[in-house]
Amino acid sequence: MKYILSGFRTPKPGSLPELINGAVDFYKGVDFPGMVTVAPTIPVVSTHRPFEDAASVEALDDAIVAGNLPIMDSVTKLDQLTASATRWVLREIVANINPDNLPKEDPKYFGRIILTAKTGMGPELLDVVLSNHDKLDAPVGVSAPVGSLATIILSRPFAHLDDITKAADVREVVAGMRGKGVINWNNLCDSIERRVTRVAFMRRP
């Protein structure tokens, strides 16, 4: 099973450009894959590092606990630019996007739908999400925080902002989904949030 470790940082007032540049420079200076995304309107600068398996994540944890993680100084410098503590989330990749649904060029944007399940409905929500994922030929990646199904995240990269479905197209999309027998998950969710972020840097595995 693959994982993604994401760090979400809210910049101090006036430090957004410095935080973006610092996060990008961090990934340019290391030899592992990763991505930096920006939500300027919130604002939040996020870093995302993929891991091939749980053993790789555990090795990182061991290095942090032992105090011998070489990149810790660089991480601390990024944290000093934030208005509050960095929020770290380790997600498990539950289902992958069909490669045919990936953009033909490097993506500039990521669209995400964050589904927050009603209390106790996380497993049922995931079942519905995966059923729809299969019926629609895997149009998105599906992930969830490790150890919890309270939140399900659907992600898809886009080459350009115009490629992201506009609000005016929603009815057409929904009609197409119904035609394929897609199950409505609204009754299983406390909230459904849509986010669009800009890719500032990406190094593929």
Side-chain angles (χ1 to χ4, degrees), residues 3-140:
Y3 300 84
I4 298 175
L5 179 63
S6 298
F8 301 93
R9 294 179 173 89
T10 300
K12 292 178 180 178
S15 67
L16 178 60
E18 188 178 359
L19 182 56
I20 295 172
N21 291 334
V24 170
D25 288 343
F26 168 79
Y27 269 106
K28 286 182 177 179
V30 296
D31 59 359
F32 48 77
M35 181 172 66
V36 179
T37 60
V38 183
T41 56
I42 297 180
V44 170
V45 178
S46 307
T47 54
H48 312 275
R49 179 180 174 182
F51 291 86
E52 286 297 317
D53 48 40
S56 301
V57 178
E58 188 172 338
L60 175 65
D61 289 343
D62 289 345
I64 293 173
V65 171
N68 61 2
L69 187 65
I71 62 172
M72 187 54 74
D73 286 345
S74 298
V75 172
T76 299
K77 289 179 181 178
L78 292 178
D79 290 342
Q80 290 171 348
L81 298 171
T82 65
S84 56
T86 301
R87 184 169 65 92
W88 294 98
V89 178
L90 179 63
R91 291 179 287 138
E92 181 179 342
I93 298 176
V94 182
N96 291 305
I97 187 173
N98 184 332
D100 292 339
N101 292 319
L102 294 172
K104 304 303 180 186
E105 53 191 288
D106 286 340
K108 286 187 176 181
Y109 293 90
F110 263 81
R112 291 186 174 88
I113 300 176
I114 302 170
L115 307 175
T116 301
K118 291 181 178 179
T119 302
M121 302 303 290
E124 186 174 348
L125 176 60
L126 181 59
D127 284 344
V128 170
V129 166
L130 294 179
S131 174
N132 290 346
H133 186 264
D134 292 340
K135 291 174 182 176
L136 296 172
D137 195 24
V140 296

